[in-house]
């Protein structure tokens, strides 16, 4: 982690790069461009209590950290002179407000917008996140208002529109005090003399050229940093934010009655000095960003200096250059060996891959790692990806680490297999730990494919018959059969893992997705099963092929003729009905009810009835104590309750998964790209009714 002295150059405090919290800064690599509250506080301690000059160039970052740094700078005893050199965007613009003196270089800009964030969860969680962002916006609007002299309401409008300001515009709006001068000259207010010898049209043309250069520079920077493109123009005094439609700006004529100053046609017009500097800065930035993106691949020998020089020379932007890098590397990959592979044991490379996979599973499921996995428990996703591609060094800055992951997902590296397997193993653990209630009353089966599967319920074992004493002939008997059809269906949904989550190695975020998805699949199965089991008229279940009647009906004595509360008497009627049911061969099954299924409204009543009671008299003994297990599901509403036999003895329903799968699984759909990795969550699940003999329903009262 950086120290305060790392930010001090020539006796001045230089704040360049991302604004991070102290916690985030603690795991940044050497060479990364960033600063945090603790580092700034340390630097101010080194500089002493006099006035400190702060040079600021930042795209922003974590806004709470930005406010912390603003408060630190604002509280410095000698005050601060803050100079924006390049940009002060987002959280950096908030930090800028701390300056006792606030200056901007002639080519710099200021961007102010609302704080943003993200959340994962139910609607209430998302509403809470939105309320928090509104609260932060109101707080930070007060900071901007105090510094600029505007009202909080005015600032909220400016922030909501996302407003961009040049140095002159920022001064006019009260966000800055002056334009800083090059060298040691004192700062001055912007003068109008620079354009006094130009016509209004000529001035507008030069302003348009300057803004075009500014847009080109900003586009190059955003290509490398991944900053989200700006939205449309935010304010009449702000620079238009839609970079892709930068047009000639019309400078307002503040003195329309004044004639245009005469010009000497024989003398060339004065060009704005920022043009050449801005163009050189944009080109230098483009070249540096392309080299930064190519660096990890050059170190691994997959790109050459000639490749990078060609991309810089032909004017490719950073996004195009990255795409061409991947194309070049893919073209150089060796053709697959078409000779039949020779069977072999697990080599060292495969052993290390399995150990990495085991370590990811252990971290995602919080399980004890294997001995081999312990060596990789502290490895980040980027470090694992780099090793699978044969790279010995992991780059420090975000853009380069992102390139490593992009290459690992889009080339012949086995990292995608490692990542997908680890996710599926962790997801399976979470899924299998769930205990949906439908599995207590339904029998499990395996579906071979997606066609209808006939469930054959075999009847009684044929009755023994006397052996013929003369010939010793044994009579043959037949099994009766009853066929019901069920089938498995395919389900799926897309799940996105953001580039920030993967590059920053946010395993806690991935773990939350796995936990949510694993539990969500179990809830989905629960909903699907009960939608089937409680379907049909009066929620009496699906119609069976054997009887052409619903599972629960009064004809087959699987439904009480009169609704009743849960009492010893009503339970006795249901238990007797189940025990009296006969097999396909009209033999007594003698089935015993073991499960009492109820909804939330009947749970307390059911638990009270089956609870052990020490009775003083025999007629007060609870015959169902210890004999019935209460199972509660929110899918049953109202007063209805059910009795079921053990599913292994006489199941009314069955459920199952597709052959070869024991849990839902992730499948990489889109390899790593601009917004991360898209994966499909797939699950094959089936359920249906197969018999009526093991159940009984009472509508309840």
């Amino acid at each position: 982690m950086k120290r305060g002295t790392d930010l001090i150059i020539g006796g001045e405090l230089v704040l360049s790069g991302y604004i991070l919290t102290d916690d985030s800064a603690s795991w940044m690599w050497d060479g990364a461009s960033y600063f945090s509250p603790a580092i700034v506080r340390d630097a101010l301690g080194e500089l002493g209590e006099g006035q400190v000059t702060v040079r600021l160039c930042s795209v922003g970052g974590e806004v709470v950290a930005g406010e912390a740094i603003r408060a630190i700078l604002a509280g410095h005893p000698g005050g601060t002179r803050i100079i924006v050199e390049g940009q002060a965007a987002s959280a950096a613009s908030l930090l800028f407000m701390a300056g006792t003196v606030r200056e901007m270089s002639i080519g710099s800009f200021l961007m102010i917008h609302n704080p943003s964030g993200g959340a994962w969860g139910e609607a209430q969680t998302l509403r809470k996140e939105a309320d928090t962002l509104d609260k932060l916006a109101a707080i930070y609007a007060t900071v901007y208002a105090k510094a600029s002299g505007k009202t909080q309401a005015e600032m909220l409008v400016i922030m909501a529109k996302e407003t961009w300001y040049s140095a002159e515009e920022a001064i006019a709006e009260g966000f800055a005090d002056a334009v800083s001068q090059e060298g040691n000259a004192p700062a001055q207010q912007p003068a109008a003399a620079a354009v006094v010898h130009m016509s209004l049209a000529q001035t507008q043309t030069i302003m348009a050229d300057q803004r075009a250069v500014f847009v080109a520079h900003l586009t190059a920077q955003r290509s490398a940093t991944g900053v989200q493109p700006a939205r449309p123009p935010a304010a009449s005094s702000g620079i238009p934010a839609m970079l892709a439609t930068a047009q000639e700006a019309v400078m307002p004529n503040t003195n329309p009655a004044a004639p245009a100053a005469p010009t000497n046609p024989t003398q060339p017009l004065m060009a704005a000095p920022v043009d050449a500097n801005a163009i050189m800065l944009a080109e230098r930035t483009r070249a540096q960003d392309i080299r930064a993106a190519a660096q990890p691949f050059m170190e691994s020998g997959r790109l050459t200096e000639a490749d990078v020089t060609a991309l810089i020379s032909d004017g490719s932007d950073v996004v195009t250059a990255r795409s061409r890098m991947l194309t070049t590397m893919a073209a150089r990959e060796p053709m697959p060996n078409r000779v039949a592979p020779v069977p072999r044991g697990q080599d060292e490379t495969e052993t290390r891959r399995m150990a990495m996979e085991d370590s990811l599973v252990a971290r995602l499921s919080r399980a004890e790692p294997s001995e081999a996995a312990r060596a990789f428990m502290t490895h980040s996703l980027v470090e694992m990806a780099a090793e699978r591609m044969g790279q010995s060094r992991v780059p420090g800055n975000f853009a380069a680490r992102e390139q490593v992951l992009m290459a690992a997902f889009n080339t012949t590296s086995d990292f995608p297999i490692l990542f997908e397997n680890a996710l599926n193993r962790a997801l399976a653990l979470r899924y299998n730990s769930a205990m949906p209630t439908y599995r207590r009353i339904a029998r499990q089966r395996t579906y071979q494919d997606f066609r209808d599967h006939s469930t054959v319920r075999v009847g009684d074992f044929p009755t023994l018959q006397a052996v013929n004493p003369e010939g010793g002939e044994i009579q043959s008997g037949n099994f009766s059969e009853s066929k019901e059809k069920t089938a498995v269906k395919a389900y799926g949904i897309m799940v996105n893992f953001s580039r920030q989550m993967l590059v920053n190695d946010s395993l806690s975020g991935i773990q939350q997705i796995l936990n949510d998805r694993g539990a969500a699949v179990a809830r989905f199965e629960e909903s699907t099963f009960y939608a089937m089991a409680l379907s049909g008229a009066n929620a009496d279940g699906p119609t069976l092929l054997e009887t052409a009647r619903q599972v629960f009906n009064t004809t087959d004595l699987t439904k009480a003729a009169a609704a009743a509360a849960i009492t010893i008497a009503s339970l006795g009627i249901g238990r007797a009905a189940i025990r009296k049911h006969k097999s396909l061969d009209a033999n007594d099954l003698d089935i015993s009810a073991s499960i009492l299924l109820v909804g939330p409204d009947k749970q307390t009543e059911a638990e009270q009835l089956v609870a052990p009671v020490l009775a003083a008299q025999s007629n007060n003994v609870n015959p169902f104590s210890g004999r019935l297990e209460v199972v509660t599901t929110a899918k049953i509403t109202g007063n209805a309750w059910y009795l079921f036999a053990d599913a292994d003895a006489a199941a009314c329903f069955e459920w199952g998964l597709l052959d070869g799968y024991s849990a839902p699984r992730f499948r990489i759909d889109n390899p790593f790209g601009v917004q991360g990795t898209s994966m499909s969550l797939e699950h094959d699940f089936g359920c249906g009714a197969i018999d009526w003999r093991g159940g009984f329903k009472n509508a309840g009262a």
Side-chain angles (χ1 to χ4, degrees):
M1 180 174 171
K2 287 182 178 179
R3 296 176 298 179
T5 53
D6 295 326
L7 303 182
I8 300 174
I9 301 177
E12 297 179 332
L13 180 59
V14 178
L15 303 181
S16 177
Y18 292 100
I19 301 173
L20 301 177
T21 62
D22 295 331
D23 181 61
S24 297
S26 65
W27 51 258
M28 292 298 290
W29 283 266
D30 292 339
S33 181
Y34 67 95
F35 54 95
S36 73
I39 302 173
V40 172
R41 194 187 305 275
D42 185 32
L44 289 176
E46 294 288 336
L47 290 170
E49 296 186 353
Q51 186 185 54
V52 173
T53 296
V54 182
R55 297 190 180 272
L56 174 64
C57 181
S58 173
V59 297
E62 301 183 54
V63 67
V64 175
E67 164 56 21
I69 296 173
R70 185 203 66 79
I72 293 170
L73 294 175
H76 184 66
T80 55
R81 174 193 177 204
I82 304 180
I83 305 172
V84 176
E85 297 180 328
Q87 59 183 324
S90 190
S93 67
L94 185 70
L95 182 161
F96 181 46
M97 300 299 107
T100 309
V101 177
R102 300 190 298 273
E103 302 175 14
M104 296 177 64
S105 65
I106 187 64
S108 64
F109 68 90
L110 186 72
M111 188 274 278
I112 300 174
H113 65 180
N114 275 331
S116 61
W120 179 275
E122 299 177 348
Q124 186 61 35
T125 302
L126 300 181
R127 292 190 186 98
K128 183 178 180 181
E129 176 70 11
D131 292 341
T132 300
L133 291 175
D134 287 340
K135 175 66 72 175
L136 289 176
I139 293 172
Y140 299 143
T142 302
V143 175
Y144 289 118
K146 182 178 180 180
S148 64
K150 297 182 181 296
T151 65
Q152 183 192 47
E154 290 174 324
M155 283 310 310
L156 287 172
V157 173
I158 292 172
M159 292 165 64
K161 292 180 178 179
E162 185 170 279
T163 312
W164 299 70
Y165 296 101
S166 67
E168 292 85 352
E169 291 164 338
I171 294 168
E173 294 296 319
F175 297 114
D177 300 319
V179 174
S180 65
Q181 301 300 307
E182 296 182 0
N184 297 320
Q188 299 178 1
Q189 295 292 338
V195 293
V196 71
H197 298 298
M198 304 179 190
S199 68
L200 176 59
Q202 291 166 340
T203 304
Q204 291 172 349
T205 300
I206 291 176
M207 288 291 291
D209 291 341
Q210 292 176 357
R211 290 192 176 185
V213 172
F214 169 81
V215 166
H217 169 52
L218 186 58
T219 301
Q221 282 191 323
R222 291 196 166 202
S223 298
T225 60
V227 178
Q228 182 182 4
R231 293 190 287 272
S236 59
S237 60
I239 292 177
M242 184 62 78
L243 304 181
T245 57
Q247 300 177 351
E248 181 173 289
V250 179
M251 187 172 69
N253 188 351
T254 58
N255 186 12
T263 61
N264 186 348
T266 62
Q267 296 180 355
L269 291 174
M270 295 175 60
V274 72
D275 285 352
N277 292 335
I279 292 173
M280 287 189 293
L281 177 60
E283 176 60 20
R284 187 181 302 116
T285 301
R286 185 185 69 86
Q288 290 174 346
D289 290 341
I290 291 176
R291 287 197 173 276
Q295 186 64 29
F297 308 116
M298 294 178 68
E299 292 177 355
S300 63
R302 306 179 73 187
L303 288 177
T304 66
E305 176 63 31
D307 296 327
V308 180
T309 301
L311 293 173
I312 295 174
S313 300
D314 65 10
S316 297
D317 59 43
V318 179
V319 174
T320 302
R322 287 176 176 171
S323 176
R324 290 175 60 185
M325 289 177 200
L326 294 177
T327 302
T328 300
M329 289 186 290
R332 291 173 180 168
E333 291 288 339
M335 293 295 291
N337 188 358
R338 299 184 181 276
V339 179
V342 178
R344 59 176 176 82
Q346 193 176 71
D347 60 14
E348 177 64 20
T349 300
E350 181 68 8
T351 300
R352 292 179 67 83
R353 187 190 70 79
M354 288 300 300
M356 288 183 187
E357 182 180 314
D358 290 345
S359 72
L360 271 181
V361 174
R363 292 161 67 188
L364 290 171
S365 60
R366 297 182 179 178
E368 186 69 20
S370 64
E371 192 62 34
R374 292 184 187 279
F376 300 99
M377 289 298 289
T378 59
H379 277 47
S380 67
L381 291 175
V382 177
E383 288 173 324
M384 291 184 184
E387 176 162 325
R388 301 317 299 165
M389 294 191 298
Q391 296 182 19
S392 58
R393 178 179 173 273
V394 177
N397 63 75
F398 185 96
R401 298 201 310 277
E402 182 180 20
Q403 282 293 321
V404 171
L405 278 180
M406 185 176 293
F409 273 103
N410 288 279
T411 59
T412 56
S413 161
D414 61 3
F415 180 75
I417 299 174
L418 181 158
F419 183 66
E420 185 178 285
N421 287 349
L423 290 184
N424 285 331
R425 288 171 58 187
L427 177 65
L429 290 173
R430 180 64 182 87
Y431 167 78
N432 291 325
S433 68
M435 289 299 297
T437 61
Y438 77 86
R439 297 184 188 177
R440 310 292 296 278
I441 63 173
R443 183 180 68 186
Q444 185 177 5
R445 70 161 301 159
T446 298
Y447 294 94
Q448 302 300 320
D449 50 39
F450 290 99
R451 293 176 294 182
D452 286 343
H453 284 54
S454 296
T455 299
V456 179
R457 191 183 62 76
V458 180
D460 297 316
F461 190 88
T463 302
L464 292 175
Q465 300 183 29
V467 177
N468 188 332
E470 296 181 357
E473 180 182 0
I474 298 177
Q475 302 296 318
S476 63
N478 296 317
F479 290 97
S480 301
E481 296 182 352
S482 173
K483 295 185 177 181
E484 302 294 338
K485 295 182 182 295
T486 62
V488 67
K489 295 182 179 179
Y491 302 93
I493 192 171
M494 294 302 299
V495 179
N496 295 319
F497 294 88
S498 71
R499 49 198 284 267
Q500 295 94 332
M501 183 182 296
L502 297 176
V503 177
N504 291 343
D505 196 38
S506 180
L507 291 186
S508 60
I510 298 176
Q511 182 185 57
Q512 185 62 49
I513 291 176
L514 293 178
N515 288 343
D516 288 346
R517 293 301 90 197
V521 171
R523 290 194 299 269
F524 165 78
E525 290 179 353
E526 184 95 337
S527 298
T528 302
F529 176 86
Y530 282 107
M532 174 276 301
L534 304 180
S535 62
N538 301 316
D540 288 339
T543 300
L544 296 170
L545 296 176
E546 177 190 352
T547 63
R549 292 184 290 271
Q550 291 176 268
V551 174
F552 303 106
N553 64 87
T554 56
T555 302
D556 295 320
L557 301 181
T558 55
K559 182 178 180 180
I566 303 176
T567 64
I568 291 178
S570 61
L571 285 176
I573 293 173
R575 180 171 68 171
I578 291 177
R579 192 173 291 278
K580 291 177 182 179
H581 289 153
K582 296 183 180 294
S583 69
L584 291 172
D585 301 313
N587 294 318
D588 293 330
L589 290 175
D590 199 21
I591 303 171
S592 176
S594 62
I595 294 175
L596 174 57
L597 181 69
V598 298
D601 295 332
K602 285 291 185 178
Q603 181 177 2
T604 301
E605 182 180 328
E607 290 175 344
Q608 287 178 335
L609 191 68
V610 302
V613 176
L614 296 176
Q617 299 179 357
S618 61
N619 59 347
N620 291 330
V621 172
N622 182 0
F624 295 102
S625 175
R627 297 180 181 273
L628 288 178
E629 177 189 0
V630 176
V631 176
T632 307
T633 175
K635 304 305 177 185
I636 297 177
T637 59
N639 297 324
W641 53 270
Y642 301 78
L643 286 174
F644 287 100
D646 185 272
D648 292 333
C652 291
F653 306 100
E654 71 177 10
W655 70 277
L657 307 179
L658 193 62
D659 187 28
Y661 295 106
S662 60
R665 68 272 179 195
F666 283 113
R667 195 188 308 275
I668 294 180
D669 186 70
N670 291 322
F672 193 88
V674 175
Q675 297 304 324
T677 297
S678 295
M679 305 187 76
S680 58
L681 176 61
E682 302 171 0
H683 190 46
D684 307 309
F685 175 76
C687 59
I690 59 173
D691 199 7
W692 51 271
R693 293 170 176 83
F696 181 85
K697 175 183 177 179
N698 192 304

